Amino acid sequence: WLYPTLEKKKTKIAMAHKFAFGALFYGLTFITMALIFIQMKNVYMVSGEKISIWWMCFPYIVWAIGVLFVLPPLDELTYVLAPTSLKTLGMAIQKFIIYGIGSIIQTAILKGTKAWFPQTNTLKDFVSSDIKKLYWLLVGLAFASGAVFLIPAVKNWMEWLDIYGESETAGFDVTLEAAVKEQEKHAEDSPEDEA
């Protein structure tokens, strides 16, 4: 519903900005998790009680918002860029990169931060562990990846990919110069200039 609503209002979010927003929400997810950990620790230290599992709704909601900004545009970009006869393969490669290579990176991060994890499966060990350091590391990684998408050269390259992919799908030949002209035309037609 988000992107169709924005299109009706003639508002276009640049592909790179969608990814940056997604990374921002991913970072906010880990901030939420760190704050929940602090709350869990405080409650346990004062009363020895557990906090409600309902606290975990907050990070899941924030994470889902991030997913809305990242996965649909990524699927769209992959689908548009892949040649007609290789669209399924293009999507498979994209999913492999996200989930396959992403899992390898995740495993490396978890191995590198193993000392921060609780040694046993008890709440007492969990609240006395340094797991919140992992959350803050993930916040930094999410925000850093989001910052990459805000670099003008990256934004322009992604816009060119988007324009190029759409023109290839439509059967047009687009050069970098034509993509830049199209981008400039879109900037002139944007609602920000009318305000």
Side-chain angles (χ1 to χ4, degrees):
W1 62 265
L2 177 64
Y3 297 119
T5 302
L6 290 174
E7 285 177 17
K8 285 179 187 173
K9 295 183 179 191
K10 297 188 179 189
T11 301
K12 182 174 173 27
I13 301 174
M15 188 74 65
H17 291 166
K18 291 175 186 177
F19 291 142
F21 283 135
L24 170 71
F25 280 100
Y26 290 157
L28 292 174
T29 299
F30 296 117
I31 289 173
T32 305
M33 291 173 72
L35 294 174
I36 290 170
F37 175 80
I38 292 167
Q39 174 68 9
M40 182 187 309
K41 185 174 185 172
N42 290 341
V43 168
Y44 182 78
M45 294 302 200
V46 170
S47 66
E49 302 275 325
K50 298 178 183 179
I51 63 170
S52 170
I53 191 67
W54 289 104
W55 280 92
M56 288 307 294
C57 289
F58 297 111
Y60 278 109
I61 291 167
V62 177
W63 184 266
I65 294 169
V67 166
L68 288 175
F69 279 106
V70 174
L71 292 184
L74 185 59
D75 287 344
E76 175 190 352
L77 189 62
T78 302
Y79 189 80
V80 165
L81 287 174
T84 303
S85 61
L86 299 174
K87 292 201 183 290
T88 303
L89 180 62
M91 294 300 282
I93 291 169
Q94 180 236 76
K95 298 302 180 197
F96 170 74
I97 290 170
I98 291 174
Y99 299 112
I101 295 176
S103 292
I104 293 169
I105 294 169
Q106 176 186 358
T107 301
I109 290 172
L110 293 177
K111 282 184 179 179
T113 59
K114 190 175 182 179
W116 297 343
F117 285 82
Q119 302 305 311
T120 65
N121 222 5
T122 64
L123 183 58
K124 181 180 179 181
D125 271 357
F126 184 75
V127 296
S128 61
S129 71
D130 287 328
I131 196 77
K132 71 179 173 192
K133 289 181 181 177
L134 174 65
Y135 299 143
W136 294 119
L137 171 68
L138 295 173
V139 167
L141 291 173
F143 287 168
S145 66
V148 167
F149 292 110
L150 296 177
I151 297 170
V154 173
K155 178 190 173 284
N156 293 340
W157 175 71
M158 290 189 71
E159 287 302 304
W160 178 79
L161 282 176
D162 194 24
I163 293 167
Y164 176 80
E166 287 176 6
S167 66
E168 283 294 304
T169 303
F172 301 111
D173 180 28
V174 172
T175 61
L176 181 58
E177 293 81 20
V180 170
K181 285 180 186 175
E182 181 68 27
Q183 202 172 19
E184 289 170 353
K185 179 183 169 203
H186 176 70
E188 292 171 2
D189 295 338
S190 78
E192 297 171 356
D193 294 336
E194 295 171 9

